[in-house]
């Protein structure tokens, strides 16, 4: 690490959003270019910095700043430039001339120590002076704080957020306990807070650090799907992660175990440590489910059989025994789970349930976890379907995003049906159950063999394994028209058998490729030439590449670049925007990677007359870039007729989507799916993953890669078992609810007496 001192000579470039600056600094060795994130400093300011000399291929040698060591900025030598910069309210170029002419080199001292003397300057009265000094003092106070924050290794972008929230008090807070900053503003997690603490001189075994570090590891585990960690497993990981001893932990144990962000639950001889909100969610879900199950069942005398026969006659279909049982059970149970693989008749069964519900006047709602899944549900049933978030009216309420539907304002439907339940995590189910009245009938549909939710928990599996909810598994394959092998092979893979491929006239093929580089070239040729010729499908919107991993030659990130350059290469006069490591071009296929419920979309006729509008774009939605403005780095994406504008600030919500991870494909369906088959860790390269990928295709599947890797994936039944407590709590609370119901019955008997 080097230390550099000098005078700020000029600013070459400055990003006002994140304070990244390129500047020239005059040192004893001449003028040096410095780069880094630091607060605004007037020209002429003395700077002392630590960092390293780096070499830039285009701009040559530069000094990359890690920390500003300047303790205090002296503005006296640069006051004229500072005032001319417009930093002080009510002081423009002409006023600056008058002030400098009057006070010269003493100008800074006048502002700092004798501001009343500014009344001697023509054009400055008492009210103007008040505004000038208010602005000046805010600037100076802020700059001094930001510079001190830089001494803790805090970037200017983050420092501005902290100053906006805490003001001058931020310095004292850091000295007291830097870990209190975690989650206080965007950009500060445990690792950032730990770096700040290190700069502030906090010891490794500090109790605040230990508490915050262990809470971080628990929350990290929920991102991996767990609801809790066993205390011993947490400590084993934590001692190594924090580089502390068991004695260090023991001294901080009480402070950690009583932390309000966690809950400690003892089960038999083991201690489980939950994030508080996940533990509360599991408890609430289990109690609510048991209450629903204890409610009296309506429609017990409804003649469903005759209605089923009527549907069979009108639709010219014959329901299987399991389908008939599922249709009846939807009206004879307060809670029902229908599960089954592709082609087993889940959609046909659902349509029959809805037809009967329409006939007898049941008010129902359809929902799914993602926008694409909701759209598929809507297309399959001919009825409106919403995302669960939209159903629960998730929106910004002044301070934060909240679900408006809850116990105080529940959903008014008699029945709610949710599809793709394998994608629903614990916390989303909790929010959903909060909004359900106890006389609402619930039907959950899903495929338990799909990969589980991205969020914590294994909800569908836990609900089924609790053995308390009526569950019907549809296992008879119906959809085999046209010699399709997709459904047959999905079931073969699910049973551990090798798929039947490369049969003439079918829709399931594998192209051998030993090297990942060759696989990439084959996929490029497939999407550009071979698949359009063979299938008649030329739109890249209908051809989806899915890979197990993001990294690697055959991973999503590289495939997106390769396919973009193949199908939509850079050309003269073609508009494009560079954002981070991505390049977005006119016509690119892109995906929204986070839910945004507040963004406005608009729909237009062919002659650009707006005819519809609304709010919301969802994680996993895929569209195409329709317009690009290279000047202000903005673009417009067309999502199946709904157009949404993105500014530079929101481009981080987009990614190229020529290739997507298999996890991101959940809830979607594409006519043609192309899957590279090469090395991936066992946690990814398993039967569930390849099964999920294949079931996303409706017309054609092409695997490209190594046959041995495909065999290994099918044999690999390894599933990263998730620590979840929902099943146990449903069983445990079953007895509690039974006792409460009994007590309520006895109370009513006494009242009647």
């Amino acid at each position: 690490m080097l230390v550099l001192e000098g005078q700020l000579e000029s600013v070459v470039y400055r990003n006002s959003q994140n304070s990244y600056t390129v500047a020239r600094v005059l040192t004893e060795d001449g003028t040096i270019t410095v780069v880094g994130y630091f607060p605004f400093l007037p020209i002429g300011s003395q700077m002392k910095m630590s960092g390293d000399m780096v070499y830039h291929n285009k701009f040559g040698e530069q000094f990359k700043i890690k920390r500003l060591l300047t303790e205090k900025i002296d503005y006296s030598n640069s006051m004229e430039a500072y005032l001319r910069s417009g930093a002080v309210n009510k002081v423009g170029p002409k006023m600056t001339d008058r002030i400098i002419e009057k006070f010269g080199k003493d100008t800074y001292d006048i502002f700092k120590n004798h501001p009343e003397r500014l009344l001697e300057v023509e054009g400055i009265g008492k009210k103007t002076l008040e505004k000038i000094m208010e602005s000046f003092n805010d600037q100076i106070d802020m700059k001094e704080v930001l510079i001190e924050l830089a001494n803790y290794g805090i970037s200017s972008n983050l420092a501005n957020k902290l100053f906006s929230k805490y003001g001058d008090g931020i310095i004292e807070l850091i000295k007291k306990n830097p870990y209190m900053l975690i989650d206080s503003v965007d950009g500060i997690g445990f690792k950032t807070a730990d770096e700040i603490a290190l700069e502030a001189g906090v010891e490794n075994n500090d109790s605040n650090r230990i508490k915050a570090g262990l809470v971080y590891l628990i929350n990290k585990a929920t991102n991996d799907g767990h609801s809790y960690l066993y205390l011993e497993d947490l400590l084993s990981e934590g001692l190594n992660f924090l580089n502390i001893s068991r004695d260090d932990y023991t001294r901080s144990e009480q402070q950690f175990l009583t932390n309000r962000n966690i809950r400690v639950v003892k089960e038999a001889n083991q201690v489980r440590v939950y994030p508080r909100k996940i533990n509360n969610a599991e408890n609430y879900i289990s109690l609510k489910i048991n209450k629903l199950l204890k409610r009296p069942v309506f429609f017990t005398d409804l003649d469903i059989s005759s209605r089923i026969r009527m549907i069979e006659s009108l639709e010219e279909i014959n329901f299987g025994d399991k389908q008939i049982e599922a249709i009846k059970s939807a009206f004879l149970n307060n809670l029902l789970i229908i599960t089954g693989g592709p082609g087993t008749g889940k959609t046909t069964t659902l349509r029959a349930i809805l037809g009967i519900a329409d006939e007898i006047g049941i008010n129902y709602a359809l929902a799914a976890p993602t926008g694409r899944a909701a759209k598929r549900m809507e297309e399959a049933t001919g009825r409106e379907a919403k995302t669960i978030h939209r159903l629960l009216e998730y929106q910004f309420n002044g301070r934060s995003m909240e679900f408006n539907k809850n116990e105080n304002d529940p959903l008014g439907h008699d029945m709610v049906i949710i599809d793709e339940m394998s994608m629903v995590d614990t916390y989303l189910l909790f929010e959903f159950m909060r909004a359900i009245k106890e006389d609402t009938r619930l039907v959950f549909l899903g495929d338990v063999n799909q990969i589980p939710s991205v969020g914590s928990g294994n909800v569908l599996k836990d609900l089924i394994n609790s053995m308390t909810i009526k569950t019907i598994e549809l296992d008879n394959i119906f959809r085999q028209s046209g010699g399709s092998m997709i459904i047959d092979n999905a079931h073969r893979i699910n049973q551990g058998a090798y798929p039947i491929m490369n049969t003439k006239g079918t829709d399931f093929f594998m192209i051998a490729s030993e090297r990942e580089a060759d696989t990439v070239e084959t996929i490029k040729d497939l999407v550009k030439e071979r698949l359009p010729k063979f299938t008649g499908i030329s739109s890249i919107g209908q051809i989806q590449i899915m890979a197990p991993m993001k990294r690697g030659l055959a991973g999503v990130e590289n495939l997106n670049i390769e396919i973009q350059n193949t199908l939509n290469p850079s050309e003269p006069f073609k508009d494009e925007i560079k954002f981070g490591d991505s390049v977005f071009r006119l016509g690119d296929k892109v995906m929204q990677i986070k839910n945004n419920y507040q963004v406005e979309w608009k729909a237009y006729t062919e002659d650009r007359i707006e005819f519809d509008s609304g709010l919301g774009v969802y994680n996993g939605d895929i569209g195409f870039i329709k317009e690009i403005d290279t000047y202000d780095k903005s673009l417009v994406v067309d999502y199946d007729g709904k157009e949404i504008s993105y500014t530079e600030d929101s481009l981080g919500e987009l990614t190229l989507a020529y290739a997507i991870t298999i996890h991101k494909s959940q809830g979607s369906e594409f006519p043609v799916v192309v899957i590279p088959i090469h090395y991936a860790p066992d946690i990814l390269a398993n039967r569930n993953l390849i099964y999920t990928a294949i079931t996303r295709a409706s017309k054609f599947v092409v695997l490209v890669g190594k046959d041995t890797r495909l065999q290994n994936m099918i044999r690999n039944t390894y599933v990263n078992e998730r620590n979840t407590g929902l099943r146990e709590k449903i069983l445990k609370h079953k007895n509690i609810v039974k006792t409460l119901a009994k007590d309520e019955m006895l109370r009513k008997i006494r009242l009647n007496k």
Side-chain angles (χ1 to χ4, degrees):
M1 194 73 66
L2 302 175
V3 175
L4 181 72
E5 293 185 63
Q7 186 180 56
L8 182 61
E9 195 173 68
S10 64
V11 174
V12 179
Y13 169 80
R14 180 172 175 78
N15 186 321
S16 59
Q17 298 295 319
N18 61 15
S19 300
Y20 180 77
T21 304
V22 179
R24 306 280 189 187
V25 175
L26 180 62
T27 71
E28 292 180 351
D29 299 321
T31 299
I32 293 178
T33 299
V34 301
V35 298
Y37 300 89
F38 56 88
F40 167 83
L41 299 174
I43 303 302
S45 298
Q46 287 297 126
M47 298 180 67
K48 186 176 182 181
M49 307 150 281
S50 65
D52 294 297
M53 296 302 298
V54 297
Y55 186 83
H56 191 283
N57 289 335
K58 185 175 181 180
F59 300 111
E61 196 172 51
Q62 301 174 336
F63 185 82
K64 188 174 182 179
I65 298 174
K66 177 175 173 56
R67 295 179 60 199
L68 278 182
L69 304 177
T70 311
E71 295 182 359
K72 192 175 183 66
I73 294 296
D74 182 359
Y75 289 86
S76 58
N77 294 328
S78 57
M79 200 60 187
E80 181 175 354
Y82 180 59
L83 293 178
R84 289 190 188 282
S85 71
V88 178
N89 192 20
K90 295 294 181 181
V91 179
K94 291 184 179 180
M95 182 61 73
T96 299
D97 289 340
R98 294 178 201 153
I99 293 172
I100 297 300
E101 184 180 351
K102 180 73 176 177
F103 300 112
K105 293 182 179 180
D106 296 328
T107 299
Y108 178 75
D109 181 63
I110 295 295
F111 269 80
K112 188 70 176 173
N113 301 312
H114 309 286
E116 70 281 355
R117 289 198 58 194
L118 289 172
L119 292 171
E120 300 173 18
V121 178
E122 181 186 351
I124 298 181
K126 288 185 178 181
K127 289 185 178 180
T128 301
L129 177 62
E130 288 177 6
K131 292 180 179 179
I132 289 174
M133 293 315 301
E134 181 182 2
S135 175
F136 176 79
N137 289 329
D138 284 347
Q139 289 287 323
I140 295 300
D141 290 344
M142 181 178 179
K143 295 302 177 284
E144 291 177 351
V145 171
L146 294 185
I147 290 167
E148 190 162 353
L149 288 175
N151 290 334
Y152 292 104
I154 300 173
S155 71
S156 293
N157 189 30
L158 198 52
N160 276 293
K161 292 180 183 178
L162 291 172
F163 185 85
S164 296
K165 181 165 185 175
Y166 297 104
D168 296 350
I170 181 60
I171 302 300
E172 189 60 33
L173 189 151
I174 288 175
K175 291 177 180 177
K176 182 179 179 181
N177 179 10
Y179 299 99
M180 291 175 67
L181 297 175
I182 295 174
D183 296 330
S184 62
V185 298
D186 289 341
I188 297 191
F190 173 78
K191 291 186 176 180
T192 300
D194 206 35
E195 292 174 358
I196 295 170
L198 178 66
E199 297 289 346
V202 175
E203 299 291 337
N204 264 9
N205 61 359
D206 182 90
S207 60
N208 288 321
R209 180 175 186 267
I210 293 171
K211 176 183 70 175
L214 294 177
V215 170
Y216 162 75
L217 290 176
I218 296 167
N219 289 328
K220 180 175 176 290
T222 66
N223 293 332
D224 295 332
H226 297 295
S227 296
Y228 64 83
L229 287 179
Y230 291 106
L231 180 58
E232 279 305 310
D233 293 340
L234 173 62
L235 291 183
S236 177
E237 183 180 0
L239 298 183
N240 181 60
F241 176 73
L242 296 170
N243 192 25
I244 58 173
S245 68
R246 175 73 66 153
D247 288 341
D248 292 331
Y249 165 75
T250 301
R251 285 191 291 271
S252 304
E253 183 174 46
Q254 191 61 28
Q255 185 176 353
F256 166 64
L257 294 179
T258 56
N259 185 289
R260 65 183 180 87
N261 293 316
I262 67 168
R263 286 291 180 270
V264 178
V265 178
K266 293 183 179 179
E267 289 288 341
N269 296 322
Q270 292 179 310
V271 179
R272 300 174 177 180
V273 185
Y274 277 87
R276 177 178 56 84
K277 75 172 190 177
I278 299 299
N279 180 62
N280 292 348
E282 284 189 349
N283 287 334
Y284 186 95
I285 292 167
S286 58
L287 281 167
K288 190 67 171 278
I289 282 176
N290 277 292
K291 286 182 179 180
L292 288 170
L293 293 173
K294 295 302 176 186
R295 294 280 302 178
V297 178
F298 299 102
F299 308 126
T300 53
D301 58 347
L302 185 68
D303 184 5
I304 302 173
S305 296
S306 64
R307 288 175 167 85
I308 292 174
R309 289 193 296 271
M310 180 65 72
I311 293 170
E312 287 180 316
S313 176
L314 292 173
E315 300 289 336
E316 297 183 349
I317 57 176
N318 291 308
F319 291 115
D321 292 341
K322 291 282 187 72
Q323 287 180 296
I324 292 172
E325 183 186 2
I327 296 166
K328 290 181 177 180
S329 296
F331 300 96
L332 301 179
N333 294 271
N334 290 331
L335 215 165
L336 172 68
I337 297 173
I338 302 174
T339 184
T344 56
K346 289 196 302 294
T347 300
T348 307
T349 302
L350 174 59
R351 283 201 296 260
I353 292 170
L354 297 178
I356 295 173
D358 287 334
E359 183 184 348
I360 62 179
I362 291 180
N363 174 23
Y364 57 80
L366 306 181
T370 67
R372 292 186 69 85
K375 184 179 179 181
R376 281 186 64 199
M377 194 180 192
E378 194 168 272
E379 291 171 346
T381 63
R383 279 89 165 176
E384 182 186 24
K386 301 178 179 179
T387 64
I388 298 174
H389 284 77
R390 187 178 165 206
L391 180 68
L392 302 183
E393 298 179 7
Y394 188 66
Q395 58 190 29
F396 187 73
N397 289 334
R399 292 185 177 181
S400 61
M401 299 296 292
E402 294 177 356
F403 292 92
N404 283 348
K405 290 296 180 182
N406 49 44
E407 300 96 332
N408 299 321
D409 183 17
L411 295 168
H413 307 286
D414 304 318
M415 176 187 282
V416 180
I417 302 173
I418 296 183
D419 197 9
E420 297 287 356
M421 272 297 293
S422 62
M423 299 175 66
V424 176
D425 62 41
T426 302
Y427 198 72
L428 183 56
L429 182 61
F430 159 69
E431 292 289 358
F432 172 73
M433 297 303 285
R434 285 182 65 200
I436 294 300
K437 298 185 297 183
E438 290 182 14
D439 60 353
T440 302
R441 190 179 309 274
L442 301 180
V443 179
F444 296 151
L445 294 93
D447 184 350
V448 76
N449 294 305
Q450 298 276 356
I451 50 180
S453 61
V454 175
S456 65
N458 203 343
V459 166
L460 182 59
K461 184 177 179 181
D462 280 353
L463 293 179
I464 293 172
N465 290 344
S466 72
M467 306 295 287
T468 61
I469 301 170
K470 176 72 174 179
T471 301
I472 298 172
E473 181 180 3
L474 304 178
D475 51 15
N476 186 24
I477 303 174
F478 293 96
R479 200 172 65 202
Q480 293 182 334
S481 61
S484 173
M485 293 302 301
I486 296 174
I487 293 169
D488 284 346
N489 279 337
H491 286 277
R492 287 178 65 82
I493 287 171
N494 192 39
Q495 294 161 10
Y498 195 71
I500 298 171
M501 303 182 293
N502 300 338
T503 302
K504 187 176 180 180
T506 61
D507 51 14
F508 203 108
F509 290 83
M510 182 166 185
I511 300 172
S513 175
E514 291 295 313
R515 298 169 61 246
E516 287 190 55
D518 294 336
T519 293
V520 172
E521 292 304 313
T522 298
I523 291 175
K524 287 161 63 176
D525 186 40
L526 280 167
V527 298
K528 186 176 182 180
E529 303 288 347
R530 295 166 66 179
L531 282 171
K533 288 180 181 178
F534 190 80
T535 66
I537 296 173
S538 58
S539 169
I540 191 59
Q542 295 183 293
I543 301 173
Q544 187 58 59
I545 303 165
M546 297 179 191
M549 298 195 304
K550 291 183 178 180
R551 303 297 173 88
L553 283 177
V556 166
E557 292 175 353
N558 184 59
L559 280 169
N560 268 321
I561 295 171
E562 293 285 349
I563 302 302
Q564 180 192 43
N565 290 333
T566 299
L567 298 181
N568 193 25
S570 179
E571 296 174 355
F573 309 113
K574 178 181 282 186
D575 289 335
E576 64 177 46
I577 296 174
K578 191 175 189 311
F579 181 80
D581 295 329
S582 299
V583 175
F584 295 117
R585 295 190 187 117
L586 193 64
D588 270 339
K589 183 179 183 180
V590 292
M591 175 187 281
Q592 174 79 13
I593 57 174
K594 64 181 290 188
N595 291 329
N596 187 334
Y597 302 96
Q598 299 304 303
V599 69
E600 183 181 18
W601 58 261
K602 295 181 179 181
Y604 299 90
T605 61
E606 289 185 4
D607 49 358
R608 302 301 294 171
I609 297 175
E610 182 182 333
F611 70 90
D612 197 7
S613 64
L615 297 177
V617 60
Y618 308 104
N619 186 0
D621 284 354
I622 293 176
F624 288 85
I625 297 176
K626 186 172 184 176
E627 298 175 18
I628 285 183
D629 187 327
T630 56
Y631 180 75
D632 59 6
K633 287 195 172 183
S634 64
L635 53 82
V636 175
V637 178
D638 185 334
Y639 295 99
D640 294 326
K642 297 178 179 179
E643 297 182 14
I644 293 177
S645 298
Y646 291 80
T647 63
E648 186 176 5
D649 291 339
S650 57
L651 287 178
E653 297 181 9
L654 285 178
T655 186
L656 292 175
Y658 297 102
I660 62 175
T661 63
I662 296 171
H663 280 86
K664 278 288 188 184
S665 74
Q666 282 183 283
S668 302
E669 185 175 84
F670 305 94
V672 180
V673 167
V674 180
I675 309 166
I677 305 293
H678 283 282
Y679 170 78
D682 285 348
I683 193 173
L684 289 177
N686 56 34
R687 185 183 299 173
N688 281 49
L689 196 77
I690 189 65
Y691 170 81
T692 298
I694 287 168
T695 57
R696 299 305 91 198
S698 61
K699 293 183 178 180
F700 211 82
V701 170
V702 184
L703 311 180
V704 185
K706 300 179 70 171
D707 180 75
T708 53
R709 291 304 307 168
L710 177 61
Q711 293 180 41
N712 289 341
M713 290 183 80
I714 295 170
R715 284 195 295 264
N716 179 16
T717 57
Y718 171 81
V719 177
N720 186 23
E721 289 296 335
R722 298 182 169 192
N723 294 335
T724 66
L726 184 57
R727 184 190 70 85
E728 297 170 37
K729 289 178 179 179
I730 290 173
L731 294 172
K732 180 179 179 180
H733 290 145
K734 182 178 181 180
N735 295 325
I736 295 174
V737 172
K738 188 183 294 182
T739 302
L740 291 173
K742 183 179 179 181
D743 290 345
E744 178 65 14
M745 183 179 68
L746 291 172
R747 187 183 70 82
K748 289 181 178 179
I749 291 172
R750 294 190 192 100
L751 288 174
N752 290 334
K753 286 182 178 179

